[in-house]
Amino acid sequence: MVVMRGETWGQFGSAIASFMFLWAMLNKYFPHYLRASIETRFQKLANYFNPYVQITFHEFSGDRMKRSEAYKSIENYLGSRSTKQAKRLKGDVNQENHSLVLAMDDHEEVTDEYEGIKFKWASRKTVRESKSITFSPPQDEKRSYRLTFHAKHRKTATETYLDRVLREGREIGTRKRQRKLYSNSPSDSYGFKRATWSHIVFEHRATFDTLAMDPKKKKAIMDDLVTFSKAKDYYARIGKAWKRGYLLYGPPGTGKTTMIAAIANFLNYDVYDVELTAVKSNTDLRKLLIDTSSKSVIVLEDIDCSLELTGQRENRDEEKKEEGQEVKKDGAQEKEEKKKGGVTLSGLLNFIDGLWSASGGERLIVFTTNHVEKLDPALIRRGRMDRHIEMSYCDFEAFKVLAKNYLGLESHPLFGAIRSLLEEIDMTPADVAENLMPKTVEEDAGVCLGILIEAIENAKEEARKKLGEKEEKAEAEQGQEEEKAMFTKKKKKKEKRESNGKRWGGSESES
């Protein structure tokens, strides 16, 4: 019996060796289409005897080379399991918090158990040799995770197990991730390098607790943000992209940038700071949008500084008419702007709420401006900028927040005087905060409040002087206008007398 088994295995090994020889000859001499046909049939035969199902999750998906969310979630999920089971691990240092990160190495396997069923995960890496020069190294080295399980557990695997893996992986990623501040780098003039994002750790400490603003107004904004962050099903039901636009407007120093930081910290979102002057075209702007992640705040600060983008089109047309220039109708102006290069108003509008804006979910788009009247109405209408928030001058409620932040005070005898002064004069929260900040270690809260009172009184006196100068200038201009009107009246009267004299056959002097 043993001899028969040995002979059987010997014959089987010989058959395998013969098959491998024939397969080598097949790959070398047979046409491609014939090899593909044989491989397909052989795979079907192998699947007939193989009771296991395999599902592969690639690191990158599609032509965009965007890292797969499923791959990242699986990587997070397998992290702790791989450190306990895998014999070969790869280690790295997290550049953000300098902590050690361990993960299963390529071609390593771990086993996971769910409802008594064993699921096998394997990390794979394939390397494609390229004879041509490529500017995209990730295309040459592709990684993936492969899940293997028995075919009889297909329903459990696809309907419950994988959902659990992805959900827990996302939660782990959210817990361990640090918020990032992204900025866009420009593409080159020849288009070889596409516009991309670079990032640093987002370390701004502003919160709604430290934001100098009326408490009722802050609460309304926070409630709106919470409602948005939990409204995925609602947006899907009404057929809208899961995004929301915020317009922050007001004088410089009123806390627009601080508001953005407070929003990001409140929602635990990343921040993408878009520099429009570094974007070469509408296409590059769209690529930047595609490369942003969900749970993010996309910021365009000082949008009013891009006059070609945001100046009201009607005003520009009127100015051109006055100067005798041709005013182009319909899309002619847009075509001319495209020829000049750069981002057009149409491209920016599509960035905000065009078809491509629905490529991801849970995004806030925030515009800031010092001069809201300069913005094109099409840019800030409801549906694009859903909520308009005025960042105004410092009132007494905002002052109390700053006093608590900078001096640790909730009340003081000087608060009454400061309240009266702030009702009479406009001062930005930035100016108030600067005067509250101690200049030396010895300065106490009372000294800082006294400095603030002096600064407000100086601002009040300066405003009074400017108002007086303005009134004097207005009176002088009014006097000049009256003199001009009187001179014009006399001139017309004289011209009328001369005209009457000529009509009666002589000059006024002769008569």
Side-chain angles (χ1 to χ4, degrees), residues 287-329:
K287 289 177 180 177
L288 287 173
L289 174 64
I290 292 171
D291 286 340
T292 60
S293 64
S294 59
K295 295 184 179 296
S296 60
V297 183
I298 302 173
V299 180
L300 290 90
E301 287 198 276
D302 296 323
I303 192 71
D304 55 286
C305 294
S306 300
L307 296 178
E308 290 302 318
L309 273 174
T310 59
Q312 295 186 14
R313 289 167 289 182
E314 294 83 357
N315 293 346
R316 294 203 304 268
D317 291 347
E318 289 297 328
E319 291 174 1
K320 287 185 177 181
K321 286 180 181 179
E322 292 176 0
E323 295 173 2
Q325 300 180 19
E326 179 186 359
V327 177
K328 295 180 172 61
K329 302 296 183 181

Side-chain angles (χ1 to χ4, degrees), residues 114-385:
Y114 174 73
E115 294 184 355
I117 305 170
K118 290 187 177 182
F119 295 92
K120 183 181 293 185
W121 289 95
S123 62
R124 301 170 59 83
K125 181 179 74 172
T126 57
V127 179
R128 177 172 63 87
E129 295 183 1
S130 177
K131 297 180 181 179
S132 60
I133 299 175
T134 176
F135 295 97
S136 303
Q139 292 181 346
D140 297 332
E141 192 173 273
K142 297 183 178 180
R143 288 181 170 82
S144 62
Y145 285 111
R146 176 169 291 180
L147 172 64
T148 304
F149 54 89
H150 200 281
K152 64 182 180 180
H153 303 305
R154 179 190 294 267
K155 184 176 181 180
T156 302
T158 57
E159 294 185 2
T160 58
Y161 174 69
L162 282 176
D163 286 343
R164 170 176 172 267
V165 170
L166 297 178
R167 183 178 65 255
E168 289 191 13
R170 284 192 294 267
E171 291 174 356
I172 293 171
T174 301
R175 288 197 301 268
K176 73 178 185 179
R177 82 181 186 97
Q178 284 186 297
R179 285 182 300 282
K180 299 181 179 65
L181 173 60
Y182 291 85
S183 61
N184 57 301
S185 56
S187 57
D188 60 31
S189 303
Y190 301 97
F192 291 121
K193 177 185 173 184
R194 59 172 289 183
T196 55
W197 295 106
S198 58
H199 72 269
I200 60 173
V201 177
F202 183 73
E203 296 181 329
H204 204 297
R205 303 300 180 187
T207 65
F208 278 103
D209 290 335
T210 62
L211 182 65
M213 180 183 281
D214 182 82
K216 293 181 180 179
K217 194 172 182 179
K218 281 197 290 188
K219 186 177 186 307
I221 296 171
M222 294 166 68
D223 290 343
D224 186 74
L225 293 171
V226 171
T227 301
F228 167 77
S229 66
K230 297 180 178 179
K232 180 179 180 180
D233 294 337
Y234 173 77
Y235 277 86
R237 180 167 60 83
I238 64 176
K240 289 186 65 176
W242 190 14
K243 63 179 181 59
R244 190 157 176 79
Y246 273 41
L247 173 67
L248 309 181
Y249 65 96
T254 51
K256 295 183 287 294
T257 301
T258 306
M259 168 68 81
I260 294 171
I263 290 173
N265 287 325
F266 181 68
L267 294 176
N268 196 24
Y269 283 6
D270 293 326
V271 177
Y272 289 83
D273 185 16
V274 182
E275 178 55 57
L276 282 178
T277 57
V279 183
K280 299 296 184 182
S281 65
N282 293 337
T283 301
D284 282 346
L285 184 64
R286 186 168 62 244
K287 289 177 180 177
L288 287 173
L289 174 64
I290 292 171
D291 286 340
T292 60
S293 64
S294 59
K295 295 184 179 296
S296 60
V297 183
I298 302 173
V299 180
L300 290 90
E301 287 198 276
D302 296 323
I303 192 71
D304 55 286
C305 294
S306 300
L307 296 178
E308 290 302 318
L309 273 174
T310 59
Q312 295 186 14
R313 289 167 289 182
E314 294 83 357
N315 293 346
R316 294 203 304 268
D317 291 347
E318 289 297 328
E319 291 174 1
K320 287 185 177 181
K321 286 180 181 179
E322 292 176 0
E323 295 173 2
Q325 300 180 19
E326 179 186 359
V327 177
K328 295 180 172 61
K329 302 296 183 181
D330 301 328
Q333 185 175 354
E334 185 73 17
K335 291 179 181 178
E336 183 176 315
E337 290 176 354
K338 287 183 179 179
K339 289 180 181 178
K340 294 179 181 178
V343 178
T344 64
L345 177 62
S346 175
L348 186 59
L349 296 182
N350 287 328
F351 175 84
I352 301 170
D353 66 351
L355 292 174
W356 288 96
S357 67
S359 60
E362 202 171 355
R363 291 192 183 108
L364 284 174
I365 300 176
V366 180
F367 285 176
T368 71
T369 178
N370 297 333
H371 306 283
V372 68
E373 69 279 358
K374 290 185 179 181
L375 300 183
D376 194 299
L379 192 64
I380 59 175
R381 68 164 175 80
R382 305 293 178 175
R384 290 192 174 116
M385 293 293 104

Side-chain angles (χ1 to χ4, degrees), residues 9-172:
W9 282 110
Q11 293 173 359
F12 181 74
S14 178
I16 291 296
S18 301
F19 177 77
M20 295 301 295
F21 175 76
L22 291 173
W23 185 252
M25 297 295 292
L26 178 72
N27 280 328
K28 188 174 182 180
Y29 296 107
F30 279 49
H32 173 74
Y33 69 90
L34 186 58
R35 294 202 308 269
S37 176
I38 295 175
E39 287 176 0
T40 301
R41 294 178 182 275
F42 180 77
Q43 188 64 45
K44 287 183 178 180
L45 181 63
N47 290 339
Y48 181 79
F49 293 100
N50 182 14
Y52 291 95
V53 176
Q54 292 181 336
I55 302 176
T56 302
F57 299 87
H58 295 282
E59 182 177 11
F60 295 95
S61 58
D63 295 333
R64 297 175 299 172
M65 293 307 295
K66 184 176 181 180
R67 205 160 185 251
S68 167
E69 293 292 334
Y71 183 91
K72 290 190 288 186
S73 297
I74 293 170
E75 186 176 46
N76 292 331
Y77 178 82
L78 296 177
S80 60
R81 291 162 177 78
S82 61
T83 54
K84 295 177 181 178
Q85 296 184 31
K87 294 183 178 180
R88 292 185 299 112
L89 299 169
K90 54 184 178 183
D92 198 1
V93 175
N94 190 328
Q95 296 181 358
E96 298 171 356
N97 52 25
H98 305 290
S99 60
L100 180 65
V101 179
L102 296 176
M104 56 193 295
D105 201 358
D106 299 323
H107 309 294
E108 186 63 45
E109 295 183 353
V110 296
T111 301
D112 188 29
E113 188 169 331
Y114 174 73
E115 294 184 355
I117 305 170
K118 290 187 177 182
F119 295 92
K120 183 181 293 185
W121 289 95
S123 62
R124 301 170 59 83
K125 181 179 74 172
T126 57
V127 179
R128 177 172 63 87
E129 295 183 1
S130 177
K131 297 180 181 179
S132 60
I133 299 175
T134 176
F135 295 97
S136 303
Q139 292 181 346
D140 297 332
E141 192 173 273
K142 297 183 178 180
R143 288 181 170 82
S144 62
Y145 285 111
R146 176 169 291 180
L147 172 64
T148 304
F149 54 89
H150 200 281
K152 64 182 180 180
H153 303 305
R154 179 190 294 267
K155 184 176 181 180
T156 302
T158 57
E159 294 185 2
T160 58
Y161 174 69
L162 282 176
D163 286 343
R164 170 176 172 267
V165 170
L166 297 178
R167 183 178 65 255
E168 289 191 13
R170 284 192 294 267
E171 291 174 356
I172 293 171

